[in-house]
């Protein structure tokens, strides 16, 4: 059977690290509140690097790690809610920077589920025989769409990018998935609103308040636990798996308390959930591939291991994938 196999992973983050104590100097918060409510201690924040810089770094590392020439790349998909431009896409910017002249390149938007959606698309192209390989990246500079005066959101997010080089394989790879959307609840997590202003309908100048991240944290928490649990159950049932068959679960790195609920309700040991939100915060579409890359770099996964990745986010959306490494 033809599968899409993850051959190499990579990640990139700005050098600048902002701690919870740093944030307590600009908003009314504390290390204690942030750590207890979220599990986050620090995050990487851009000193000017835009998203294209981070995703290009990931793509260059992937080429090197997979020993692939840029002209042999068929497809580049980048998931992001914080691209440099409306157009060109980040994927086309990556294409230029790495010299992948023969690739088809485009971006997708599925917020924190973005990497899962992008990987799902690459999988379909590869399984159908249209393309034989792809670079799939999630990358964000969320710091540019955060209201740094709003303590309820600014403590949660970070900047970064992560991705994978995937290839047609007959041995292992993506086994099954469950992706979904609930547009009905779109307004519980929004960002980047641009009002329709033109010469015939002028709106006040300056940044519109809805440009920033707005989130009903409690509703998102409920959405996440309900849908990630259902989605993981569905994927495991489809393959007849129990938790004993799974080496690691790589969840979206939003909040350790969300992971605690999922672990408890699914009766899966907490230690099987790989987390690094303590150092990165929530990097939206980048969070799962950054964590997956860390697992890989630490040598914690071996070929043949079964891994579940599961994300949720704006839209609202969710996406779960079972892979054999
Ligand atoms: O990828 C996107 C996914 N997003 C998420 O996964 C977010 C999901 N939701 C959450 O993770 C949690 O809801 C939050 C971490 C966002 C908030 O935690 P919470 O336990 O739901 O807190 P809360 O919003 O109910 O706020 C509790 C209190 C409030 O004060 P009062 O009304 O009880 O006096 C807030 O004003 O905490 C206050 N608060 C803060 N205090 C200190 C909110 N933010 C802060 C802060 N520092 N940064």
């Amino acid at each position: 059977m033809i599968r899409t196999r993850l051959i190499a992973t990579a990640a990139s983050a700005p050098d600048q690290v902002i701690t919870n104590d740093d944030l307590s100097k600009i908003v009314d918060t504390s290390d204690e509140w942030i750590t207890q409510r979220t599990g986050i201690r620090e995050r990487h924040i851009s000193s000017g690097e835009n998203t294209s810089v981070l995703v290009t770094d990931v793509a260059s590392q992937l080429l090197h790690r997979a020993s692939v020439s840029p002209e042999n790349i068929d497809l580049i998909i980048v998931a992001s809610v914080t691209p440099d431009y409306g157009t060109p896409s980040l994927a086309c910017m990556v294409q230029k920077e790495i010299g992948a002249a023969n690739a088809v390149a485009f971006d997708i938007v599925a917020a924190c589920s973005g990497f899962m959606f992008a990987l799902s698309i690459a999988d379909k192209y590869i399984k159908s025989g249209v393309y034989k390989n792809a670079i799939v990246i999630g990358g964000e500079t969320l710091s540019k769409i955060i209201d740094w005066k709003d303590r309820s959101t600014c403590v949660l997010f970070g900047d970064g990018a992560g991705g994978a080089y995937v290839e047609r394989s007959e041995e292992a790879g993506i086994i099954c998935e469950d992706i979904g959307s609930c547009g009905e609840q779109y307004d519980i997590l929004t960002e980047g609103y641009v009002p329709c202003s033109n010469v015939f309908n002028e709106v006040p100048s300056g940044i519109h308040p809805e440009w920033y991240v707005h989130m009903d944290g409690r509703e998102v928490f409920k959405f996440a636990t309900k849908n990630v649990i259902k989605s993981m159950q569905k994927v495991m049932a489809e393959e007849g798996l129990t938790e004993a068959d799974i080496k690691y679960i790589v969840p979206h790195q939003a909040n350790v308390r969300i992971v605690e609920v999922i672990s408890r309700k699914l009766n899966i040991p907490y230690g099987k959930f790989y987390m690094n939100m303590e150092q990165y915060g929530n990097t939206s579409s980048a969070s799962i591939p950054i964590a997956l890359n860390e697992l890989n770099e630490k040598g914690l996964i071996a070929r043949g291991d079964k891994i579940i990745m599961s994300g949720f986010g704006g839209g609202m959306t969710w996406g779960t994938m079972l892979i054999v490494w």
Side-chain angles (χ1 to χ4, degrees), residues 138-216:
E140 310 286 358
T141 42
L142 294 165
S143 57
K144 67 187 180 186
I145 46 102
I146 282 166
D147 179 355
W148 289 99
K149 295 189 192 77
D150 175 12
R151 70 176 182 174
S152 72
T153 52
C154 77
V155 302
L156 304 174
F157 299 99
D159 299 335
Y165 166 76
V166 300
E167 208 173 74
R168 181 192 158 98
S169 161
E170 294 192 5
E171 294 157 34
I174 297 170
I175 306 296
C176 67
E177 67 175 31
D178 172 54
I179 63 172
S181 313
C182 176
E184 184 71 26
Q185 283 185 279
Y186 83 85
D187 58 351
I188 64 173
L189 176 49
T190 61
E191 65 87 3
Y193 179 72
V194 182
C196 188
S197 167
N198 58 49
V199 70
F200 305 106
N201 177 41
E202 285 184 32
V203 297
S205 60
I207 290 184
H208 189 275
E210 297 296 318
W211 170 256
Y212 296 121
V213 173
H214 284 273
M215 182 170 68
D216 181 335

Side-chain angles (χ1 to χ4, degrees), residues 27-30 33-34 37-38 111-112 150-157 189 215-222 224 252-255 257-258 282 284 312-314 316:
V27 286
D28 180 15
T29 191
S30 64
W33 191 95
I34 304 170
R37 301 275 180 144
T38 70
C112 308
D150 175 12
R151 70 176 182 174
S152 72
T153 52
C154 77
V155 302
L156 304 174
F157 299 99
L189 176 49
M215 182 170 68
D216 181 335
R218 288 185 185 185
E219 284 303 312
V220 175
F221 196 109
K222 277 193 252 167
H252 172 43
Q253 309 287 313
N255 188 327
R257 290 192 294 132
I258 292 177
N282 178 346
S284 189
F312 63 89
M316 297 298 285

